[in-house]
Amino acid sequence: MPGLRRGFKTWCENAARGYRRDLGADPLGPLDPRMLAENLGVAVWTPQQVPGLSPRDLRQLTVTAADEWSAATLRDGDHYLVILNDAHDLGRQNNTLAHELGHVVLRHEPAKMFITSDGLMMMSEYNDDLEQEANCFAGTILVPREALLRLISSGASNREAAQHFKVSEALVRMRRNTTGVDIQTARRRRGTWTP
Ligand SMILES: [Zn+2]
């Protein structure tokens, strides 16, 4: 598996800190990616808000095929619109939206896209490197390393951390694996142990 560009993880931590500061968000608390979307001028809709969608199509998107898609992002010049599948639980929606915003912030160009009859670009299929970068951005803005380290050091479980950050437990596990916070916590414990 190709790795991330050198320094990219650090860039994400710094960007996450900067965006959280701009948004007035607690550096150690959860971050609602809808606030970030608003700050970036990215509109976020549910399928119900899409004008002209027939009841049959809406049913297809929100019930029949609800498991098969997470989001669709459209671009018109500098304007972005993310249609977010709100049939998914909040943790998954937060990760999906933060991931799509990662593509926007990082100005990723999709490998494939479609042009709708209205001339909108439908963003689709980014290459693996860009997907990894968007995942890294999403994980970091939702669960910054320092905030995770504090929580893990205080003995929180993955489930508690997931509830705290309003993300899935899978994302917490991914962040524990990629940030090295467990090693740092173990070192701290050893360092502070006195007989
Ligand atoms: Zn993506």
Side-chain angles (χ1 to χ4, degrees):
M1 195 172 75
L4 291 162
R5 289 181 267 160
R6 181 184 271 272
F8 187 77
K9 283 201 234 174
T10 306
W11 180 87
C12 284
E13 295 290 346
N14 290 336
R17 205 175 299 123
Y19 280 120
R20 278 171 170 258
R21 198 190 304 120
D22 290 351
L23 294 167
D26 180 352
L28 303 177
L31 180 93
D32 184 351
R34 286 153 200 81
M35 283 170 60
L36 177 61
E38 206 182 323
N39 180 269
L40 295 169
V42 175
V44 183
W45 288 2
T46 62
Q48 287 80 3
Q49 290 174 291
V50 178
L53 214 54
S54 71
R56 190 167 163 269
D57 287 344
L58 190 59
R59 205 185 140 69
Q60 175 71 18
L61 286 173
T62 56
V63 183
T64 320
D67 271 351
E68 290 164 31
W69 70 287
S70 299
T73 298
L74 295 150
R75 188 173 110 192
D76 180 9
D78 283 338
H79 299 280
Y80 288 86
L81 165 65
V82 178
I83 300 163
L84 191 61
N85 187 344
D86 63 342
H88 294 167
D89 65 55
L90 183 66
R92 188 165 162 194
Q93 287 182 52
N94 286 344
N95 195 17
T96 299
L97 179 54
H99 175 101
E100 293 302 314
L101 296 176
H103 285 309
V104 173
V105 165
L106 295 160
R107 301 186 179 279
H108 286 167
E109 288 297 330
K112 272 191 196 165
M113 56 191 156
F114 306 98
I115 310 289
T116 68
S117 55
D118 301 336
L120 291 169
M121 273 168 56
M122 180 112 172
M123 318 297 274
S124 176
E125 291 195 28
Y126 296 86
N127 72 38
D128 281 354
D129 287 351
L130 301 187
E131 285 304 324
Q132 279 192 49
E133 288 186 5
N135 282 339
C136 183
F137 178 86
T140 310
I141 193 110
L142 294 171
V143 183
R145 187 181 190 284
E146 190 56 36
L148 182 63
L149 179 63
R150 295 262 193 116
L151 214 58
I152 297 301
S153 308
S154 72
S157 66
N158 287 350
R159 193 196 175 118
E160 286 163 340
Q163 282 168 352
H164 173 82
F165 291 113
K166 297 186 167 55
V167 300
S168 66
E169 281 185 57
L171 184 67
V172 170
R173 279 196 297 275
M174 186 275 268
R175 290 292 289 157
R176 287 182 75 152
N177 287 336
T178 55
T179 56
V181 291
D182 290 317
I183 297 164
Q184 195 173 338
T185 304
R187 273 197 203 122
R188 264 188 200 177
R189 288 220 178 98
R190 274 201 300 275
T192 54
W193 183 78
T194 43

